[in-house]
Amino acid sequence: MLKAPSFRASILLGCLAALFLAAPLFVGPYGLKFVTRLVVFSTLVVSLDFLLGLAGLVSFGHAAFFGVGAYAVYFVSPEAASANALLALGAAIAASAAVALAIGAFACLTRGFYFIMVTLAAGQMIFSLFHDTDIAGGSDGAYINVKPALAAFGSGLLDFDDRRTFYYVCLALLVLSVLALSLLARTPFGRVVQALKANEMRLSALGFDIYKFKLAAFAVSGAVAGLAGGLFACIDGFVTPELFSWHESGLAIMMVVLGGAGTLFGPILGALAYISLEETLKSASLVGDLVASHWRLGTGASLIVAVLLSPGGLAGFFRGAARTRKPTPARLGQAPLESRKAATLATENLTRTFGGLRAVDGVTVSFERDRVHAIIGPNGAGKTTFTNLLSGALKPSAGEVLVDGRNVAGWPAHRIARRGVGRSFQRTNIFPAFTIEDNCRLAAQATHPSVLRLANSRRAQEDTLVQHALAVVGLADRTQAIAGAISNGEQRQLEIAMLIASGGGILILDEPLAGMGPEETRRVIDLLLALKPNHTIVLIEHDMDAVFAVADTLTVLALGRVIAHGTPEEVRRDEAVIAAYLGGHAPRGARP
Amino acid sequence: MSLILVQILNGLQYGLLLFLAASGLTLVFGILGVINLAHGSFYMLGAYAALTLTARFGDIFVALAAGVPLAFLFGAAIEWLFIRHLYKRDHLQQVLVTFALILMFDEAQQTLWGNYPESIPTPSYLSSSISLTSDLGYPVYRIALMTICVLLAIAMMFVIQRTRFGRLVRAAESNPEMVEALGFDSRILFRIVFAAGVAMAAAAGILAAPVESAYPGIGDRVLITSFVVVVIGGIGSIRGAFLGSLLIGLVDAFGKVFVPKFASVLIYALMAIVLVLRPSGLFGRQ
């Protein structure tokens, strides 16, 4: 999660702000242009950090939005008069946000390497569009003859032609962008955006439509980049397709990482460091002719050294030492369990094939409320596939999944989650960088998972959900611990707390006891028994002692089929089950 | 009609060159897990090496024979110096370090060879054209170029599909940890794969030099287009890279004739369509 700058970093930022404020007093016209450029570039990299550092989406086409903003100012500027500055910058923001939505619509379908490449290609596509055609002067670029200005009541308020005024406008907009993005990161929307980086699968299982969140983050970031582009066009009054080039995108990424991604202020340091480095290495009077004439060699080498030696970026140097709390042992909470949107879960002839393999083969079962239903079976029986079909992580090849009688087969995972189906994963699936409380808060937020949630309007309600969930699983006294640092067993408990906080009435738990010691196992069994009233629990588990201790019904899968279903006692005596587990060969009725 | 025939040949030629560059890129990403932005620079350095080596030895094929082993050694050195530190790092840092490498290679190119486009002579014995139809000739060198590309492609497929080393490469592509757990030294394997990728890209640059000459920024175009090929074909898939390259080559060749101003937009549009239909590329794992 986005942290406030540490004490040391705040001092540094204060000095930096003072320096920027005073800069016009002691630099000449060339110097002023240089710092203006620096400030505008900082705005660009801060916008990129929102996407790259906070949401974890590596956009390699960010220069596209920068360029679109610049060209928007060109297009709204009349031939021989100044455009209204508000209109010009508004156009820059609107145009780049629109382009970001269009590119994001494709890019957000992909992830990882593909996301990087799609954004890169999209940037190049816009580059060639402006470079190869005659739009706005083609590859030669075009001049904005008269820079935008703002007039009100007959007198000029702002004139972008005045270098000093324009510089302060840029500086104010940089500060505003940083503040706005920081505030946005702390809204419920921002919390989900930051969780994207940590764990998309978990978000989806909680009921968030991650595509929409990614797209919204992309558009916000693109809009701010467009603002920077619009300002950039006003520095020289000149736009060129080079603004879109992937070198610009690469430089922006470089500045973000150099400064420290995910801090929002770090990239400003990165921009400052990179641009100063470049200027220093270019000036022969400082470094000598030989170095200055080969400045790119020096820049490249310094960057490599910086990245390899300091993965955390410059901001990492200013980060305060992490405070570690003494862990307190977890206790099982005794909070009363209120009734929630519980539901019945059933399947009808559910089938999933992988090529010729029928991993789940015509399974018809039903799970009622207030019961623990265990699903057992030998390895390869199709248990995990079955779980994935229930939660929507996989689409069924045939058959129905019924939640409260409604067929949800083929729905995306987040929509099924919204109907009250929560699931835990075989490998614990939480947001390691978040605190325990923030993990649960995110889950509580999933009760109203719309994208446009900027106000903390349901804070009180969410607090109740979070406290309740943490009390139930026994983590109430460790709310501020970082989730990635607690024990494996506690992470499992946290995952269950998240399911409770998200309001799921149906809890699907995939091997919650895997890798647990006897003490932790005992604790989770107690937890399951405590959750049984008002929940429908579906438990996939290998630990037979635990299963027989908590389960009200048992369903036995083998080779994708149900070979037995009933109370633990009935199943224990079933011949097919004994054959499947003890005989080591396929039970009667199942295919070889 | 003859225009279409010529464009098909041009498209195939461009596609085959692209394949040499893109196959290295896809293997490096698929096996080493490294996004190598500097891959285009190796193509560029190949083209300039062709300039120097043909000036010295007088023949582009001698330049190829000398340049490819040199490129292999150069690739191994780059892997040892920079790339091996990136295997366990995230994509961002890989992007940064390889981006910084581009800066350095560009500087080296400018220092050594200057800023102007340089043409590389076609060997005199291949400078004629053969007539395809009564009124249409096609340069013999381009046909020789395509033949060599096809031979190199076949050689690479053979190594990957039929040899013990190739089996190891394929295994590492699908599960690098397991290959290491079985006791193979992945460091050597990675170095060879990276160096081979560099050698292939340089070979493409050398072969292309007499056709498109050597100029600054030549690597950028190849890099971006190669990435498009990798995305279309699917990461790590040689087959995908092959089909993707030819597809891009043909689309580009015909785009240049029919919609000259939008030819480069066209290949990105093609990529967008492929991604919508198959988000992991034509031959990528879903």
Side-chain angles (χ1 to χ4, degrees):
Chain A
M1 288 285 261
L2 182 67
K3 294 188 194 71
S6 69
F7 182 64
R8 271 186 286 174
S10 310
I11 292 180
L12 182 85
L13 285 178
C15 295
L16 207 63
L19 213 67
F20 271 127
L21 273 176
L25 300 178
F26 52 82
V27 295
Y30 175 77
L32 189 56
K33 207 171 216 181
F34 174 73
V35 280
T36 312
R37 205 169 282 153
L38 185 61
V39 165
V40 169
F41 240 97
S42 297
T43 314
L44 172 69
V45 292
V46 167
S47 79
L48 179 60
D49 192 28
F50 184 76
L51 205 57
L52 187 153
L54 294 185
L57 299 170
V58 181
S59 162
F60 208 142
H62 222 57
F65 313 130
F66 190 64
V68 165
Y71 271 87
V73 171
Y74 167 77
F75 284 125
V76 299
S77 292
E79 193 67 25
S82 64
N84 181 321
L86 288 181
L87 174 75
L89 294 183
I93 293 174
S96 52
V99 170
L101 275 178
I103 294 177
F106 283 102
C108 295
L109 291 171
T110 63
R111 50 173 55 92
F113 176 82
Y114 290 101
F115 186 88
I116 300 179
M117 289 309 130
V118 172
T119 47
L120 172 62
Q124 284 302 107
M125 195 163 159
I126 297 181
F127 169 76
S128 18
L129 200 64
F130 280 86
H131 189 272
D132 299 351
T133 61
D134 302 328
I135 305 171
S139 57
D140 293 334
Y143 283 96
I144 299 170
N145 295 326
V146 187
K147 289 178 191 169
L150 188 60
F153 312 114
S155 65
L157 281 179
L158 291 174
D159 185 1
F160 283 8
D161 232 350
D162 180 73
R163 287 210 178 122
R164 194 171 285 191
T165 314
F166 181 60
Y167 170 73
Y168 283 115
V169 169
C170 292
L171 189 59
L173 286 174
L174 168 64
V175 173
L176 212 65
S177 304
V178 174
L179 287 180
L181 290 176
S182 307
L183 285 177
L184 190 62
R186 289 184 169 78
T187 61
F189 165 74
R191 199 151 44 214
V192 178
V193 165
Q194 292 181 73
L196 280 171
K197 185 180 179 181
N199 200 333
E200 285 184 12
M201 197 202 263
R202 178 28 94 207
L203 271 184
S204 195
L206 282 174
F208 293 102
D209 187 345
I210 52 174
Y211 177 76
K212 282 189 192 157
F213 279 92
K214 284 184 184 177
L215 193 55
F218 207 74
V220 167
S221 171
V224 179
L227 171 68
L231 291 172
F232 193 83
C234 301
I235 298 180
D236 289 324
F238 180 62
V239 290
T240 149
E242 295 306 316
L243 291 175
F244 298 105
S245 85
W246 72 281
H247 272 268
E248 297 288 326
S249 301
L251 279 181
I253 295 181
M254 175 150 324
M255 291 172 189
V256 170
V257 177
L258 197 62
T263 56
L264 289 184
F265 73 89
I268 302 176
L269 303 180
L272 191 65
Y274 178 82
I275 293 178
S276 319
L277 176 72
E278 197 179 298
E279 288 299 313
T280 312
L281 288 176
K282 270 182 187 171
S283 59
S285 57
L286 285 177
V287 293
D289 279 336
L290 185 68
V291 177
S293 56
H294 302 296
W295 63 272
R296 285 188 297 183
L297 215 53
T299 313
S302 334
L303 287 172
I304 291 176
V305 171
V307 172
L308 292 183
L309 292 188
S310 169
L314 291 174
F317 292 128
F318 300 101
R319 205 166 285 153
R323 274 169 295 176
T324 45
R325 275 162 208 275
K326 196 162 167 266
T328 46
R331 289 187 309 272
L332 180 64
Q334 294 297 325
L337 290 162
E338 62 204 67
S339 173
R340 38 187 84 254
K341 53 169 182 178
T344 60
L345 181 63
T347 66
E348 186 67 44
N349 200 22
L350 192 64
T351 301
R352 169 72 198 204
T353 55
F354 294 105
L357 173 75
R358 299 174 80 82
V360 170
D361 191 2
V363 171
T364 303
V365 285
S366 75
F367 305 117
E368 298 93 35
R369 218 174 125 163
D370 305 334
R371 294 237 191 309
V372 176
H373 307 271
I375 298 174
I376 61 171
N379 281 326
K383 300 187 297 290
T384 295
T385 305
F386 181 65
T387 320
N388 286 336
L389 292 175
L390 292 181
S391 72
L394 277 176
K395 290 198 192 328
S397 307
E400 296 181 342
V401 177
L402 303 158
V403 175
D404 281 343
R406 171 137 189 201
N407 185 14
V408 299
W411 286 20
H414 65 91
R415 283 187 61 202
I416 295 181
R418 282 185 204 179
R419 296 204 73 89
V421 180
R423 72 167 293 193
S424 76
F425 291 82
Q426 207 164 348
R427 276 192 197 166
T428 313
N429 206 332
I430 53 171
F431 304 101
F434 286 27
T435 61
I436 288 180
E437 185 186 335
D438 281 334
N439 266 284
C440 278
R441 190 168 292 285
L442 200 65
Q445 196 181 317
T447 51
H448 295 89
S450 64
V451 176
L452 290 171
R453 277 199 57 204
L454 301 181
N456 272 320
S457 54
R458 296 173 197 278
R459 182 94 195 185
Q461 195 185 335
E462 283 172 11
D463 279 344
T464 321
L465 280 171
V466 168
Q467 281 158 13
H468 166 72
L470 287 175
V472 170
V473 302
L475 288 170
D477 51 354
R478 308 208 46 202
T479 55
Q480 296 310 311
I482 298 293
I486 61 179
S487 78
N488 187 30
E490 287 171 326
Q491 289 181 348
R492 293 254 166 201
Q493 289 169 298
L494 172 59
E495 197 174 11
I496 295 171
M498 287 165 70
L499 301 188
I500 298 170
S502 72
I506 299 171
L507 306 180
I508 303 170
L509 308 175
D510 196 355
E511 300 196 21
L513 300 174
M516 282 196 175
E519 166 69 15
E520 287 175 323
T521 302
R522 187 69 240 160
R523 205 186 291 153
V524 174
I525 288 175
D526 287 344
L527 175 57
L528 291 182
L529 290 172
L531 285 173
K532 195 160 84 169
N534 295 320
H535 284 93
T536 309
I537 298 176
V538 179
L539 172 71
I540 289 91
E541 191 44 66
H542 276 298
D543 182 338
M544 284 306 139
D545 293 334
V547 166
F548 282 104
V550 294
D552 298 298
T553 74
L554 269 181
T555 304
V556 187
L557 285 182
L559 296 171
R561 294 186 177 193
V562 176
I563 58 167
H565 178 77
T567 65
E569 273 316 304
E570 289 165 6
V571 168
R572 213 197 273 271
R573 288 192 300 269
D574 191 289
E575 276 181 32
V577 176
I578 295 168
Y581 267 96
L582 302 176
H585 48 74
R588 280 161 292 151
R591 292 166 303 104
Chain B
M1 189 58 218
S2 55
L3 177 72
I4 290 179
L5 189 61
V6 167
Q7 284 315 101
I8 289 178
L9 285 173
N10 282 342
L12 289 178
Q13 177 219 308
Y14 179 42
L16 285 167
L17 285 173
L18 206 52
F19 170 68
L20 290 189
S23 56
L25 196 64
T26 202
L27 281 181
V28 165
F29 187 76
I31 297 171
L32 280 60
V34 170
I35 297 183
N36 180 20
L37 294 183
H39 202 73
S41 301
F42 301 129
Y43 181 95
M44 185 254 313
L45 291 176
Y48 277 99
L51 175 67
T52 304
L53 292 171
T54 30
R56 184 158 186 84
F57 299 118
D59 190 302
I60 188 76
F61 296 113
V62 182
L64 183 71
V68 169
L70 276 179
F72 187 89
L73 292 179
F74 182 67
I78 293 292
E79 195 273 350
W80 182 75
L81 275 171
F82 304 107
I83 307 297
R84 69 191 170 112
H85 305 293
L86 299 175
Y87 296 145
K88 302 270 185 270
R89 306 281 189 110
D90 66 14
H91 287 343
L92 259 183
Q93 300 186 1
Q94 301 171 348
V95 163
L96 281 191
V97 169
T98 52
F99 188 82
L101 281 178
I102 296 183
L103 288 180
M104 296 169 73
F105 288 142
D106 281 353
E107 185 63 48
Q109 169 264 316
Q110 257 179 43
T111 310
L112 294 173
W113 291 288
N115 263 333
Y116 300 100
E118 305 272 359
S119 60
I120 287 95
T122 309
S124 53
Y125 50 90
L126 289 182
S127 59
S128 57
S129 291
I130 55 163
S131 42
L132 294 176
T133 58
S134 54
D135 58 345
L136 176 76
Y138 200 74
V140 179
Y141 177 75
R142 290 185 178 229
I143 298 195
L145 181 163
M146 284 196 267
T147 317
I148 295 175
C149 284
V150 169
L151 289 178
L152 281 175
I154 291 175
M156 184 168 64
M157 302 263 197
F158 177 81
V159 169
I160 289 179
Q161 295 297 334
R162 298 264 185 253
T163 62
R164 292 159 62 97
F165 177 75
R167 190 181 311 131
L168 212 53
V169 169
R170 281 182 288 135
E173 200 270 315
S174 80
N175 190 344
E177 285 91 10
M178 198 56 205
V179 168
E180 199 152 322
L182 287 173
F184 295 101
D185 187 348
S186 61
R187 287 173 304 174
I188 303 290
L189 179 68
F190 282 11
R191 191 156 308 151
I192 294 176
V193 167
F194 187 85
V198 172
M200 297 287 265
I206 295 173
L207 283 170
V211 177
E212 53 184 22
S213 70
Y215 55 91
I218 191 173
D220 284 3
R221 202 201 64 199
V222 170
L223 173 74
I224 309 263
T225 321
S226 297
F227 273 128
V228 173
V229 167
V230 173
V231 169
I232 288 181
I235 291 168
S237 165
I238 292 287
R239 252 192 320 170
F242 189 72
L243 272 181
S245 303
L246 294 188
L247 201 60
I248 292 285
L250 290 172
V251 166
D252 185 74
F254 281 99
K256 277 191 175 128
V257 171
F258 294 113
V259 279
K261 286 180 175 169
F262 296 95
S264 30
V265 176
L266 222 57
I267 63 169
Y268 302 118
L270 178 69
M271 182 179 99
I273 295 169
V274 169
L275 276 179
V276 170
L277 299 178
R278 289 185 69 91
S280 329
L282 295 175
F283 291 95
R285 277 188 295 268
Q286 292 290 317

